[in-house]
């Protein structure tokens, strides 16, 4: 087959040549190999399908053409987008009605960081770390210790789970008194404990009432 003359102006200046192309033709006779190389470049630069390939050349071309064609489509799409962007820039931005032109850059403040939010005291820097430190060359960090919430935080959260200020105060007093523990274990998630409190409110209130009565009697005896 005859290659396109180099004096002609190609429709594109570049294309992606993959290793699979070379691998497909590496064991061909030199004449067939050259013919397929010319077929690839003529198709990529001028969009011309080859003719006159040998049977082995046609077989290789059937394997190469789909991937080459997909690569050219991606290249043309990127090039066209770049040209449109340059045109919009000359005209002062994106075209009228383009929703992207109306978007404002998002401002990131320290409060947006969940680690800086006082309501997120249980955020871990690394949830799956080993407290011994370094394992396998990677530095591990200790799990952040539980920090008891303030009464105002508790009240705010109880409003989101249909609780009242009284419920929040009872919950806060109860767990403050026992060191924020459930049994012998420190609480890991006070919000989960709050939801459990609301589900078993009558049971907890009865327990709290018994404790208050017991403390009152001890004081009277003194």
């Amino acid at each position: 087959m005859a290659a396109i003359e180099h004096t002609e102006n190609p429709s594109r200046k570049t294309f992606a040549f993959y290793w699979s192309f070379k691998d497909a033709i590496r064991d061909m006779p030199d004449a067939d190999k050259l013919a397929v190389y010319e077929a690839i470049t003529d198709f990529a630069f001028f969009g011309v399908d080859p003719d006159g390939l040998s049977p082995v050349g046609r077989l290789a071309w059937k394997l190469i053409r789909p991937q080459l064609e997909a690569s050219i489509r991606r290249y043309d799409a990127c090039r066209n987008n770049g040209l449109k962007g340059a045109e919009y820039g000359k005209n002062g931005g994106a075209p009228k009605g383009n929703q992207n032109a109306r978007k404002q850059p998002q401002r990131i403040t320290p409060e947006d960081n969940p680690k800086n939010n006082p309501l997120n005291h249980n955020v871990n820097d690394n949830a799956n770390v080993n407290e011994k430190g370094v394992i396998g060359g990677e530095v591990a960090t200790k799990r952040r210790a539980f920090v008891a919430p303030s009464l105002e935080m508790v009240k705010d959260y109880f409003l989101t789970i249909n609780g009242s200020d009284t419920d929040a105060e009872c919950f806060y007093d109860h767990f403050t008194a026992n060191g924020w523990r459930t049994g012998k274990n420190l609480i890991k998630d006070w919000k989960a404990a709050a939801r459990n409190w609301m589900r078993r409110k009558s049971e907890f209130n009865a327990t709290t009432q018994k404790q208050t009565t017991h403390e009152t009697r001890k004081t009277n005896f003194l």
Side-chain angles (χ1 to χ4, degrees), residues 76-95 98 100:
D76 288 345
C78 293
R79 181 174 178 272
N80 291 336
N81 289 337
L83 293 175
K84 288 181 181 179
E87 180 182 352
Y88 296 154
K90 291 179 181 179
N91 294 331
N98 189 333
N100 292 329

Side-chain angles (χ1 to χ4, degrees), residues 147-208:
V147 179
S150 66
L151 178 57
E152 290 304 317
M153 291 168 59
V154 172
K155 286 184 177 180
D156 289 342
Y157 184 69
F158 264 75
L159 290 177
T160 69
I161 57 175
N162 298 321
S164 64
D165 282 353
T166 301
D167 294 325
E169 290 169 357
C170 290
F171 169 84
Y172 183 82
D173 291 343
H174 173 80
F175 282 102
T176 299
N178 68 7
W180 292 92
R181 294 175 180 272
T182 53
K184 295 182 179 180
N185 300 319
L186 282 171
I187 288 179
K188 297 179 180 179
D189 186 346
W190 68 265
K191 292 182 179 180
R195 295 191 294 272
N196 187 48
W197 179 277
M198 289 301 298
R199 287 192 294 267
R200 303 171 58 190
K201 181 168 65 173
S202 59
E203 177 183 340
F204 284 127
N205 285 344
T207 302
T208 304

